[in-house]
């Protein structure tokens, strides 16, 4: 069994749950896939919401995200955000 | 009879503080509750939930005063006139008003940074019969400030593709005595700099301390940071618990949390 894929799926589920809560999407995020675009597609994702998402990631995954690690590329799609969280969590 | 909200202005050394008072209904008046609000946008987003709770507490015999701090809500001054010590003075003024108008034990009820301020108020201005109710307390005001400053930096960069000013740059600006604009708030050094030094203090100041955390996954228990704090600072005659619900002080939509209402009301009916 490819354990990294299993862990990746769990992180995606956590990230979608987090997005749904922080952005008050009322369950809409729970059916997003890795290819679902975020930045530019979700109007709720403004500068304040971005910071709320980052803070929530820090608190849920117990990581500290340095400011210079954060850029638009991480928020392009669900998949890129999950990769970002995986990378940060394994540091 | 449903408790009615009475709005009035309290004078605090020339500043005018907007207050909303829910007088306890019935003959058994148990005491007074002073609510200390959270920081910046969290104040606006949490108003509804706080008003609901205040009404319920008044129904069970507790008079509740909702305070707008200087520069916030409908109180006088704009945000650039806010300050940590000014806010502690505001709270002191409101406590005096309650002491004169509502006999009985006092609870300071703070949400987020309001909880930090409530603890600081009892440290600076001790009282003999005061208790603390902490909703999702901010343990480190420094971290809270940094998360706010991030809106200018990381937030801007991601959402709008702008350059954004780093948190360190903004702190340098504040230390040089200059205000910093973040998300429409004109943040002054008199507020920001004390925040970099402030943290939650509960030792010795309150008779009872109740800590209620809100989580969308209550089965996971208190957050690691909260657990660490409570291990180091045991709550006098109180408890800490987690209730299920969204982070209503920051969600996009205004939320109501029946579990939080129930858990809080229970504290006041003991």
């Amino acid at each position: 069994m490819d354990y990294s894929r299993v862990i990746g799926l769990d992180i995606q589920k956590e990230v979608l749950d987090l997005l749904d809560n922080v952005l008050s999407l009322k369950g809409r995020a729970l059916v997003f896939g890795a290819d679902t675009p975020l930045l530019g597609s979700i109007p709720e994702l403004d500068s304040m919401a971005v910071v709320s998402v980052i803070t929530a990631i820090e608190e849920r995954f117990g990581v500290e995200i340095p400011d210079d690690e954060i850029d638009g590329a991480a928020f392009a799609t669900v998949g890129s955000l999950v990769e970002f969280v995986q990378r940060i969590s394994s540091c | 009879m449903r408790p009615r909200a009475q709005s009035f202005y309290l004078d605090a050394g020339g500043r005018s503080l907007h207050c909303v008072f829910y007088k306890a209904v019935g003959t058994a008046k148990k005491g007074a509750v002073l609510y200390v609000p959270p920081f910046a946008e969290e104040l606006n987003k949490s108003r509804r939930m706080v008003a609901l709770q205040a009404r319920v507490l008044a129904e069970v015999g507790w008079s509740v005063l909702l305070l707008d701090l200087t520069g916030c809500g409908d109180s006088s001054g704009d945000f650039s006139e806010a300050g940590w010590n000014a806010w502690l003075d505001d709270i002191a003024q409101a406590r005096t008003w309650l002491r004169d108008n509502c006999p009985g034990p006092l609870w300071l009820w703070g949400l987020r940074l309001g909880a930090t301020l409530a603890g600081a108020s009892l440290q600076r201005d001790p009282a003999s019969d005061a208790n603390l109710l902490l909703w999702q307390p901010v343990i480190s005001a420094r971290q809270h400030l940094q998360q706010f400053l991030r809106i200018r930096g990381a937030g801007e960069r991601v959402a709008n593709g702008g350059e954004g000013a780093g948190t360190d740059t903004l702190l340098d600006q504040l230390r040089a005595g200059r205000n910093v604009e973040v998300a429409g708030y004109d943040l002054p050094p008199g507020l920001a700099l004390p925040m970099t030094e402030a943290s939650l203090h509960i030792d010795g100041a309150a008779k009872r301390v109740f800590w209620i955390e809100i989580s969308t996954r209550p089965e996971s228990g208190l957050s690691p940071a909260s657990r660490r704090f409570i291990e180091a600072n045991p709550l006098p005659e109180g408890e800490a618990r987690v209730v299920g619900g969204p982070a209503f002080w920051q969600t996009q939509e205004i939320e109501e949390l029946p579990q939080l209402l129930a858990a809080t009301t229970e504290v006041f009916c003991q």
Side-chain angles (χ1 to χ4, degrees):
Chain A
M1 185 171 225
D2 186 341
Y3 285 107
S4 65
R5 285 225 356 255
V6 170
I7 291 164
L9 269 175
D10 283 343
I11 292 190
Q12 179 166 304
K13 193 161 170 288
E14 296 279 328
V15 168
L16 290 179
D17 185 48
L18 191 152
L19 283 171
D20 201 73
N21 283 313
V22 173
L23 304 177
S24 294
L25 298 177
K26 302 275 186 244
R28 274 161 37 216
L30 305 180
V31 298
F32 288 175
D35 293 331
T36 308
L38 296 176
L39 209 52
S41 298
I42 303 186
E44 290 91 340
L45 205 46
D46 61 13
S47 56
M48 245 187 268
V50 165
V51 171
S52 297
V53 169
I54 292 166
T55 305
I57 289 171
E58 282 187 320
E59 286 173 13
R60 187 173 291 199
F61 294 95
V63 293
E64 249 191 63
I65 302 178
D67 280 8
D68 51 20
E69 291 277 347
I70 305 164
D71 65 22
F75 281 81
T77 63
V78 169
S80 61
L81 188 57
V82 169
E83 265 173 43
F84 174 74
V85 172
Q86 274 172 317
R87 188 165 56 80
I88 295 281
S89 308
S90 63
C91 288
Chain B
M1 185 172 103
R2 299 203 70 207
R4 277 182 11 252
Q6 292 168 254
S7 194
F8 66 92
Y9 284 86
L10 191 61
D11 179 59
R15 297 190 305 274
S16 203
L17 303 175
H18 179 245
C19 297
V20 177
F21 184 60
Y22 291 82
K23 190 170 177 170
V25 299
T27 45
K29 308 253 190 295
K30 301 188 187 150
V33 183
L34 173 61
Y35 170 70
V36 187
F39 186 66
E41 268 315 288
E42 296 188 0
L43 165 66
N44 297 323
K45 296 193 177 194
S46 55
R47 275 200 194 284
R48 174 155 177 73
M49 188 57 213
V50 167
L52 281 176
Q53 181 69 74
R55 203 168 289 135
V56 171
L57 292 180
E59 276 165 13
V60 298
W62 289 83
S63 292
V64 184
L65 187 69
L66 305 184
L67 174 67
D68 278 345
L69 299 166
T70 294
C72 304
D74 292 320
S75 287
S76 70
D78 49 50
F79 200 69
S80 62
E81 291 166 60
W84 190 259
N85 288 312
W87 282 358
L88 289 179
D89 291 342
D90 294 347
I91 295 167
Q93 201 66 45
R95 281 171 56 183
T96 300
W97 187 89
L98 277 174
R99 191 199 60 210
D100 295 343
N101 289 278
C102 300
L106 171 70
W107 282 81
L108 291 192
W109 164 30
L111 169 61
R112 300 281 286 154
L113 193 71
T116 327
L117 281 160
S121 174
L122 289 185
Q123 296 282 316
R124 195 189 82 162
D125 308 313
S128 55
D129 194 4
N131 309 284
L132 281 170
L133 169 64
L134 311 173
W135 274 9
Q136 199 76 14
V138 161
I139 296 171
S140 162
R142 180 191 193 97
Q143 186 182 60
H144 198 56
L145 175 69
Q146 283 178 326
Q147 286 166 359
F148 184 64
L149 293 177
R150 256 179 177 169
I151 297 171
R152 268 286 296 271
E156 284 284 307
R157 214 166 47 238
V158 172
N160 307 321
E163 253 309 302
T167 305
D168 289 335
T169 309
L170 296 174
L171 282 170
D172 285 341
Q173 201 174 312
L174 287 159
R175 286 190 192 107
R178 300 202 320 273
N179 290 9
V180 152
E181 189 275 322
V182 179
Y185 288 88
D186 191 16
L187 179 69
L191 175 54
L193 297 181
M195 276 177 76
T196 64
E197 318 251 305
S199 60
L200 185 64
H201 280 294
I202 60 167
D203 36 304
K207 278 177 73 178
R208 305 169 73 197
V209 178
F210 276 85
W211 178 307
I212 304 183
E213 209 149 278
I214 294 95
S215 170
T216 51
R217 313 152 107 241
E219 63 281 3
S220 305
L222 291 172
S223 76
S226 300
R227 256 177 271 171
R228 279 197 303 269
F229 179 90
I230 292 170
E231 258 160 58
N233 305 274
L235 307 183
E237 275 193 68
E239 62 172 281
R241 45 185 296 202
V242 190
V243 299
F248 63 92
W249 56 87
Q250 70 177 34
T251 47
Q252 302 280 82
E253 293 192 15
I254 307 300
E255 307 265 5
E256 290 176 28
L257 280 71
Q259 278 195 44
L260 178 58
L261 286 175
T264 301
T265 307
E266 205 183 291
V267 170
F268 287 87
C269 289
Q270 288 183 5

